[in-house]
Amino acid sequence: MQTVSEMRSYGGTQGVYTHASDACACDMTFALFLPEEAADAPVPILWYLSGLTCTHDNAMTKAGAQAWCAEQGIAICFPDTSPRGDDVADDEAYDLGKGAGFYVNATQDPWAKNFRMWDYITKDLPKAVGEHFAVDLDRQSICGHSMGGHGALTMAMSYPGRFRSVSAFAPIAHPTQSDWGKKQFGAYLGDDTSKWAPHDSTLLMRDKGFDGPVLIDQGSSDNFLELLKPEALAEAMAARRQEGQFRMQKGYDHSYFFISTFMEDHVTFHAEALYG
């Protein structure tokens, strides 16, 4: 574990760190905010998964989460969205390759060597954070934006009992039926669409749901609505009678202005589950 930077923030510490990842076979970077309570005892942790083109830095600097996490006494971790490095495969398109890991374990060349973001988020990163920082992995929740909302929802439903709550901002809700999904799943996982289904939150919601509360916020003026397909997830939640809320926020788009506006709601939502 190498410290890139550490700064005082809302009484706690905002740090950026690098570590070796077995899953991604390269060094990975993440940001972690620890509230002041972490100086005395391990605190609950919220994982925030970012969207296409992002690194650890986007949400760390734009989401405004630190103030609300400090108020609630919880840590928040901002991982990167893909492996990085000169030897890591990439694509000219913004929505494939670096910055677009889609939170799956790739099985196809040239992606299989490094693009194992599912294992990185669910195994490597929690192990590293738990070993080096004062966080309580028995109390964890997960959230994300866009591609990260897709990752947060699919991981939460795939690991019953691990996360106490899950939330998403404008998630890619039905990727097996969207060009934000079909392209990436085909490249990373191959042409067998049965391998895609475990990474579609709408299909998972229909099949098993989540064993805790769910909060989804979607902007009504999001210019990616046709790619996100929020109505499919909303219908699946209603059909399953899933505990939670799906909120359409009038006039909001896909940006961090939208995320920062409702970040307090999401942090409070998770804090209630983590301390409940």
Side-chain angles (χ1 to χ4, degrees):
M1 184 70 66
Q2 301 292 320
T3 300
V4 177
S5 64
E6 286 185 333
M7 292 161 283
R8 191 74 167 159
S9 178
Y10 294 99
T13 302
Q14 176 61 66
V16 177
Y17 310 93
T18 63
H19 70 119
S21 165
D22 291 335
C24 295
C26 65
D27 287 344
M28 296 291 289
T29 301
F30 67 92
L32 177 69
F33 171 76
L34 290 170
E36 61 182 341
E37 288 87 346
D40 300 317
V43 296
I45 185 167
L46 175 62
W47 307 96
Y48 179 97
L49 307 187
S50 293
L52 286 166
T53 75
C54 291
T55 69
H56 68 280
D57 185 70
N58 298 74
M60 179 184 74
T61 58
K62 296 179 180 179
Q66 291 88 344
W68 310 121
C69 287
E71 184 175 288
Q72 298 291 345
I74 63 176
I76 185 166
C77 185
F78 308 101
D80 203 346
T81 56
S82 77
R84 307 281 175 173
D86 294 338
D87 296 331
V88 174
D90 200 9
D91 190 270
E92 292 182 356
Y94 76 95
D95 58 357
L96 190 67
K98 293 179 184 177
F102 254 76
Y103 304 102
V104 301
N105 286 340
T107 58
Q108 307 298 302
D109 291 334
W111 313 106
K113 176 184 176 182
N114 302 108
F115 281 73
R116 299 183 62 80
M117 290 299 294
W118 181 276
D119 280 356
Y120 175 68
I121 298 296
T122 63
K123 296 178 181 179
D124 283 14
L125 185 58
K127 182 175 184 292
V129 171
E131 288 177 351
H132 290 88
F133 302 97
V135 299
D136 181 0
L137 294 180
D138 289 329
R139 293 183 293 167
Q140 55 181 319
S141 293
I142 192 167
C143 66
H145 169 232
S146 193
M147 178 183 73
H150 138 77
L153 289 164
T154 55
M155 289 175 182
M157 286 186 276
S158 297
Y159 287 92
R162 174 179 289 199
F163 303 103
R164 296 197 179 185
S165 52
V166 60
S167 73
F169 299 91
I172 300 174
H174 202 8
T176 61
Q177 302 302 314
S178 169
D179 288 341
W180 272 356
K182 292 180 181 179
K183 172 183 177 179
Q184 294 81 6
F185 291 173
Y188 295 145
L189 303 176
D191 295 332
D192 182 356
T193 57
S194 67
K195 304 288 181 62
W196 302 3
H199 298 286
D200 186 309
S201 59
T202 292
L203 299 182
L204 287 172
M205 182 61 68
R206 291 173 184 169
D207 182 50
K208 60 179 64 177
F210 177 62
D211 57 350
V214 178
L215 174 61
I216 310 292
D217 273 318
Q218 172 64 62
S220 68
S221 296
D222 194 318
N223 55 320
F224 299 115
L225 284 172
E226 292 301 314
L227 292 166
L228 301 172
K229 301 190 179 300
E231 66 284 350
L233 180 59
E235 290 168 2
M237 288 177 64
R240 189 164 192 86
R241 297 177 174 83
Q242 171 67 47
E243 175 190 4
Q245 299 179 68
F246 189 106
R247 310 190 304 189
M248 188 64 72
Q249 302 292 359
K250 185 176 181 179
Y252 285 90
D253 62 8
H254 202 69
S255 72
Y256 270 91
F257 295 108
F258 160 58
I259 295 169
S260 61
T261 298
F262 298 103
M263 180 57 74
E264 180 184 7
D265 288 358
H266 284 243
V267 171
T268 302
F269 163 77
H270 290 297
E272 289 174 354
L274 290 166
Y275 281 109

